[in-house]
Amino acid sequence: MAFTDKASVVAQAILALLEANKDSLGLDQVYYGDQLNIPNAKCAVVRVGRKTRERAGVAGPGGRFMNIMPVTISVYNSTVADEGNARLVVDQLAEAIEDLLHQDITVGGLTLDGFVSEFDPDPVFRAGSMFRTVQLTYQARSKTNLTS
């Protein structure tokens, strides 16, 4: 299988992985793209980040390039509970997602490798409600040729 240089393909593969494992992870729902309303207590939102590309080999038409494709996984928890407990739940949920992502660093053969490079806990407000959130940044890398 050839590597992809499409960040949306990597994000969709991560979305499918989370969807397939949502019950064991304890997620209520998984979404693609930013959401104005988060209707479920524990959910994850997958979206692409700012892709970069640099030369990684022979220059010229169709030369090799390294593609860096960040995918953000926002993990939300809006349960009404003791703040400390609610924070712990979302932190542990994000850690479980991180462990799942690291089980296959090639995202099913789509990439050379990838890993969670950032774990950023921060509350987020959506539609007037506060959500305890962890933003995971997954950095996927692939080498591809440009088509001429």
Side-chain angles (χ1 to χ4, degrees), residues 24-103:
S24 63
L25 289 168
L27 287 169
D28 295 323
Q29 192 63 33
V30 181
Y31 302 100
Y32 186 90
D34 288 323
Q35 305 292 308
L36 291 177
N37 296 309
I38 306 290
N40 294 306
K42 290 185 272 183
C43 69
V45 175
V46 178
R47 67 182 186 282
V48 298
R50 183 174 169 256
K51 179 174 80 172
T52 59
R53 178 179 285 140
E54 58 190 46
R55 291 196 181 279
V58 179
R64 300 285 287 170
F65 287 83
M66 178 65 76
N67 308 291
I68 311 294
M69 300 169 287
V71 175
T72 301
I73 302 101
S74 300
V75 184
Y76 294 95
N77 179 18
S78 68
T79 55
V80 178
D82 169 77
E83 181 59 33
N85 266 352
R87 178 81 255 164
L88 180 62
V89 166
V90 75
D91 289 348
Q92 289 176 334
L93 180 55
E95 289 168 340
I97 291 171
E98 181 179 18
D99 290 344
L100 178 65
L101 292 171
H102 288 163
Q103 288 177 18

